[in-house]
Amino acid sequence: QVRLLDSGGGLVQAGDSLRLSCSASGGTFSSLNMAWFRRGPGKERELVAAISTDGARTDYSDSVKGRFTITRDNPKNMVYLQMNNLKPEDTAIYSCEGDRYCFGNGCSYAYWGSGTQVTVSS
């Protein structure tokens, strides 16, 4: 059973940066496509970024493209989300998710972390 632990959230001001981290244990991390999702207050759950098993393919929502970068370190069983130029509308609970087959939207990820709160003040 894969377990994901996400961390790195916090309270920042608009324009600041944060890096979220997600550590995986209990499975073969390198076989999982990974993604970051978020749910803001009163908003639908949204795919923020996705990355393929080897990191060769990434995908971003239009709202974060050019500001956020997803990366992974397979030997360390880690996936990261570097968030730059944060905006108040980025305020949400962010969670990492993983799946052997799912990539991006339109499918369900089998594994997910408990989430980490990101709050961006104006």
Side-chain angles (χ1 to χ4, degrees):
Q1 181 72 13
V2 175
R3 291 179 296 277
L4 302 176
L5 179 63
D6 29 40
S7 61
L11 172 63
V12 297
Q13 293 186 328
D16 286 351
S17 297
L18 272 179
R19 188 177 82 155
L20 305 183
S21 301
C22 175
S23 63
S25 61
T28 306
F29 177 71
S30 60
S31 69
L32 300 178
N33 295 311
M34 298 297 297
W36 286 96
F37 284 80
R38 69 184 181 186
R39 185 187 294 274
K43 297 181 181 179
E44 296 289 322
R45 182 171 170 269
E46 174 188 21
L47 172 70
V48 177
I51 189 166
S52 59
T53 55
D54 62 358
R57 179 185 174 192
T58 57
D59 193 21
Y60 297 91
S61 70
D62 288 342
S63 61
V64 307
K65 207 169 288 184
R67 299 188 297 123
F68 291 11
T69 303
I70 187 170
T71 57
R72 66 188 296 159
D73 186 336
N74 282 349
K76 294 183 178 180
N77 290 355
M78 297 289 295
V79 63
Y80 306 99
L81 184 69
Q82 177 66 42
M83 306 185 294
N84 297 330
N85 190 22
L86 282 160
K87 303 176 181 181
E89 51 263 42
D90 295 318
T91 295
I93 297 174
Y94 287 72
S95 61
C96 65
E97 302 192 10
D99 194 85
R100 288 178 60 88
Y101 305 107
C102 182
F103 182 88
N105 275 317
C107 52
S108 297
Y109 285 76
Y111 311 108
W112 59 91
S114 59
T116 184
Q117 176 72 48
V118 173
T119 303
V120 185
S121 63
S122 58

